[in-house]
Amino acid sequence: IVGAVVAAFLATVGIATFYKAPSCSDNKQNQDETGIDCGGACQYLCTEQKQPPTVLFTKAIKNGEGRIDVIAKVENKNADAAAKNVPYTITVYGEDRSIIQEISGTLDLPPGTSIPVFAPRIPSGKQTVVNAFLEVEQSSPRWFYMSTDSRNIPTVSNIIQIGTLSSPRIEAVLMNSSVTDMSDVKVIVLVHNGTEDVIAASSTIVPVIPAQGKATATFTWNYAFSDIPSSIEVVPIVVLP
């Protein structure tokens, strides 16, 4: 009897010490998961069940001597899934495929949208930049279910180009239709020529867009555009909840 009691006590202590309840972060496919820590009871969807993000284009634009701007666009084709803080890498190449620079960052991928990525003033030194590529590791997005986009995104209107040929300037009005102020809103502008190629890009931060009010986003350049602008795209960047 004493031995049985001791054995039961040791078993209880052992279970309490070594047993871990199944979870969505134990690197095992358990519970009702359809993959390792994904599907079923877990917040995140399995990568295999969703389309990977697509990089639509990456463009390097000269920004003075010894530096460039890089503008890219990443598409999420999934209409019912989103991903936050998805890591990406931008690689800038010179002649003979030599790597001039590599930078990294993260972006959010709302459902069924294309999101611009702007990396300004990347040092290139005296080397000639041939091209640049943005890459998203296909297994890195942690998809979660999102059938409707609940973000409050300001609407854009009254886009105008002013300034001079050597110092162009673009302004756009952002309207906040919600009952709460929006603060520190990042906005990216893409300037297209007649063939829809991006000839310039920039970003700015709008400090405050008042509730049910509006504010102006202003973009400036200290160099002339390489071609005649045909269309201007202004995109507010609002993080996923």
Side-chain angles (χ1 to χ4, degrees):
I1 294 175
V2 172
V5 171
V6 171
F9 173 76
L10 292 176
T12 302
V13 172
I15 291 173
T17 302
F18 299 107
Y19 174 76
K20 293 184 179 180
S23 71
C24 294
S25 59
D26 56 11
N27 292 319
K28 297 179 180 178
Q29 183 177 348
N30 43 34
Q31 307 178 87
D32 63 344
E33 298 167 4
T34 55
I36 297 176
D37 295 339
C38 63
C42 295
Q43 173 189 3
Y44 295 110
L45 307 174
C46 294
T47 302
E48 297 79 8
Q49 299 172 344
K50 295 301 170 185
Q51 297 186 64
T54 301
V55 179
L56 300 178
F57 70 85
T58 309
K59 179 75 179 290
I61 303 170
K62 188 175 181 180
N63 181 352
E65 291 298 327
R67 61 184 185 272
I68 63 165
D69 296 336
V70 172
I71 181 69
K73 221 173 206 186
V74 182
E75 182 183 18
N76 174 16
K77 295 181 180 180
N78 301 293
D80 60 351
K84 295 183 63 174
N85 300 320
V86 179
Y88 65 80
T89 301
I90 294 175
T91 306
V92 180
Y93 291 94
E95 297 172 336
D96 301 324
R97 296 286 295 176
S98 60
I99 296 177
I100 297 177
Q101 282 286 0
E102 278 188 338
I103 63 170
S104 59
T106 61
L107 77 157
D108 288 357
L109 293 174
T113 58
S114 298
I115 297 298
V117 176
F118 180 64
R121 297 180 294 277
I122 300 174
S124 57
K126 296 182 179 180
Q127 302 183 70
T128 300
V129 174
V130 176
N131 49 35
F133 293 99
L134 184 146
E135 182 178 10
V136 177
E137 179 62 41
Q138 299 299 315
S139 61
S140 60
R142 303 191 70 183
W143 299 110
F144 59 91
Y145 180 71
M146 188 176 185
S147 60
T148 57
D149 193 343
S150 61
R151 297 176 301 157
N152 175 32
I153 303 174
T155 56
V156 180
S157 63
N158 298 338
I159 301 174
I160 59 172
Q161 180 185 343
I162 52 179
T164 63
L165 288 177
S166 59
S167 299
R169 178 187 179 101
I170 289 173
E171 292 183 355
V173 175
L174 304 182
M175 179 68 188
N176 175 14
S177 60
S178 75
V179 295
T180 58
D181 293 350
M182 302 182 69
S183 59
D184 297 328
V185 179
K186 182 178 181 179
V187 189
I188 297 176
V189 62
L190 298 85
V191 182
H192 302 264
N193 63 10
T195 60
E196 289 303 311
D197 188 25
V198 177
I199 58 173
S202 186
S203 67
T204 190
I205 300 293
V206 178
V208 177
I209 310 177
Q212 296 184 338
K214 55 188 177 181
T216 300
T218 302
F219 310 90
T220 60
W221 293 262
N222 57 6
Y223 58 88
F225 295 153
S226 60
D227 201 352
I228 299 174
S230 176
S231 62
I232 301 171
E233 181 181 3
V234 177
V235 184
I237 305 296
V238 178
V239 299
L240 287 170

